[in-house]
């Protein structure tokens, strides 16, 4: 899939650059203005806030919104200051390719290789939008269909919706190919993201093309400024979320520092729980809640006078497990995290048939990590998974255990 997307984007780029070099650049001033806009958008793009890998959130949906909006605006550009443009489809793609490559140089030098995924997607989606718009506009067919007035912006919005859908399908397919996660939940998350920054990008692209048609190139800086401010606001929001998660992770380490749990236990359970949740099709908000609960699932052990050996709560009597879980939930409720996190911590010791799926995941993964610890000796992870399967009739949900087995089979601790 990755090779196919890269191959299609590369072929489209070579064709567009070749045609543009052969025929010459039409309206170089306009092409330069939009090229600079796209380049600036790439230069101020966000870096990936979290590393890629099993169990973590997928890469940012659009890390260079200003560049994406500028590329869309150029693809949907029919007039500049009341004069019809003639740049056409090949030059549109060529400008996006050249500007995108120039803007990506610093990011590639810093080792952000996944930036190429965004460029490939942008070439294909902008190529789709330009293919649907430029030939119709340049031949006058679009004017015959929609003429002027309110119908023309509605046509642009409809075309924008189809372009956004194509981008979401491509993004989910690339994420599926790179991570092995189920395609359906990935596509659902991409479509949900369109309601946020995606809608702002699309609306800005349409507004820029309409404003440039009426006011000329002066419309570019005027209508790009709100999106640029939105991008910085999103960056600050992402930084706040990262700090929030680090605070929760630091609080979860209190059980390790006090000697109640083994080193790295909470971090391992959180990462593996998120991967299992992704395998079961949970959406991004539920995965965040699941990760927070997994990080803090053992916080109730701080109430014990004597630590549990190796911090393993799975072998404890059910009543003792439930008491620790309730105490942990009471602590979690005082930290300011969402109430759903405390519910998961409180209910992880309940019979699995009475638990929400998130609590079932934490219970299963916690038991696996306890049973597969270093004290289990060689082959411990495989034996731990076998013991979980033998206990599915009473203690663990079979669907969760099998999802855990699939995650481990793709490179988990058994590997």
């Amino acid at each position: 899939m990755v090779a196919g997307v890269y191959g299609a984007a590369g072929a489209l780029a070579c064709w567009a650059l070749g045609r543009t070099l052969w025929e010459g650049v039409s309206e170089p001033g306009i092409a330069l203005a939009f090229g600079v806009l796209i380049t600036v958008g790439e230069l101020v793009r966000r870096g990936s806030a979290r590393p890629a890998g099993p169990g973590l959130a997928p890469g940012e949906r659009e890390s260079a919104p200003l560049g994406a909006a500028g590329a869309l605006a150029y693809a949907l550009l029919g007039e500049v200051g009341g004069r019809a443009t003639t740049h056409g489809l090949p030059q549109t793609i060529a400008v996006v390719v050249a500007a995108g490559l120039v803007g990506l140089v610093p990011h590639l030098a810093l080792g952000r290789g996944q930036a190429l995924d965004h460029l490939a997607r942008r070439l294909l989606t902008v190529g789709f939008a330009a293919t649907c718009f430029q030939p119709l506009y340049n031949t006058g067919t679009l004017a015959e269909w929609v003429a002027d007035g309110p119908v023309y912006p509605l046509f642009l919005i409809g075309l924008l919706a189809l372009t956004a859908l194509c981008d979401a399908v491509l993004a989910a397919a690339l994420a599926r190919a790179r991570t092995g996660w189920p395609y359906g939940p990935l596509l659902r998350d991409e479509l949900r993201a369109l309601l946020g920054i995606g809608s702002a990008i699309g609306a800005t692209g349409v507004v820029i093309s309409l404003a440039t048609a009426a006011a000329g190139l002066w419309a570019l800086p005027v209508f790009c400024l709100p999106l640029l401010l939105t991008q910085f606001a999103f960056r600050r929001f992402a930084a706040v979320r990262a700090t929030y998660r680090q605070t929760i992770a630091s609080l979860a380490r209190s059980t390790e520092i006090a000697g109640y749990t083994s080193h790295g236990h909470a971090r391992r359970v959180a990462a593996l729980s998120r991967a299992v949740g992704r395998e079961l099709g949970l959406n991004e908000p539920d995965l965040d809640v699941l990760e927070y609960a997994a990080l803090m699932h053992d916080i109730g052990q701080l109430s014990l006078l004597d630590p549990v050996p190796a911090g393993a709560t799975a072998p404890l009597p059910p009543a003792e497990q439930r008491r620790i879980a309730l105490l942990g939930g009471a602590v979690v409720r005082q930290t300011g995290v969402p109430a759903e996190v405390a519910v998961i911590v409180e209910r992880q010791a309940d019979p699995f048939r009475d638990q929400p799926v998130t609590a079932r995941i934490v219970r299963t993964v916690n038991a696996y990590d306890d049973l597969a610890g270093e004290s289990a000796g060689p082959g411990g992870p495989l034996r731990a998974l076998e013991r979980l399967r033998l206990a599915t009739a009473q203690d663990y949900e079979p669907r969760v255990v099998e999802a855990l087995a699939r995650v481990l089979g793709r490179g988990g601790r058994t590997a």
Side-chain angles (χ1 to χ4, degrees), residues 197-286:
I197 190 66
S199 61
I201 293 171
T204 303
V206 171
V207 168
I208 289 176
S209 65
L210 294 176
T212 305
L217 296 178
W218 287 107
L220 294 183
V222 173
F223 289 94
C224 285
L225 183 60
L227 185 59
L228 186 60
L229 296 177
T230 302
Q231 178 176 348
F232 287 128
F234 267 86
R235 179 179 295 178
R236 294 193 64 179
F237 175 72
V240 170
R241 286 193 61 186
T243 303
Y244 181 66
R245 183 180 180 277
Q246 291 171 1
T247 302
I248 293 177
S250 298
L251 179 62
R253 288 194 64 228
S254 60
T255 57
E256 301 176 14
I257 297 173
Y260 283 87
T261 58
S262 60
H263 177 70
H265 171 73
R267 185 177 65 253
R268 293 192 301 269
V269 172
L272 200 50
S273 293
R274 186 165 186 130
V276 172
R278 173 73 64 181
E279 184 71 19
L280 292 174
L282 300 185
N283 56 33
E284 286 295 324
D286 289 338

Side-chain angles (χ1 to χ4, degrees), residues 80-98:
V80 174
R83 295 183 302 173
T85 60
T86 59
H87 55 276
L89 173 62
Q91 183 171 313
T92 300
I93 300 173
V95 169
V96 173
V97 172

Side-chain angles (χ1 to χ4, degrees), residues 157-194:
I157 292 173
L159 178 57
L160 181 65
L162 291 176
T163 303
L165 179 61
C166 291
D167 184 63
V169 170
L170 282 174
L174 286 172
R176 172 72 175 86
R178 291 192 179 280
T179 64
W181 295 335
Y183 181 77
L186 288 171
L187 180 59
R188 185 179 63 227
D189 289 336
E190 294 294 339
L191 293 175
R192 184 181 292 110
L194 293 178

Side-chain angles (χ1 to χ4, degrees), residues 45-53 56-63 112 114 118 234-243 245-246:
R45 68 183 298 141
R46 300 188 306 270
S48 180
R50 300 177 63 183
L56 296 181
E60 298 181 62
R61 269 79 186 185
E62 181 50 68
S63 57
R112 300 171 184 167
Q114 286 194 349
H118 291 285
F234 267 86
R235 179 179 295 178
R236 294 193 64 179
F237 175 72
V240 170
R241 286 193 61 186
T243 303
R245 183 180 180 277
Q246 291 171 1

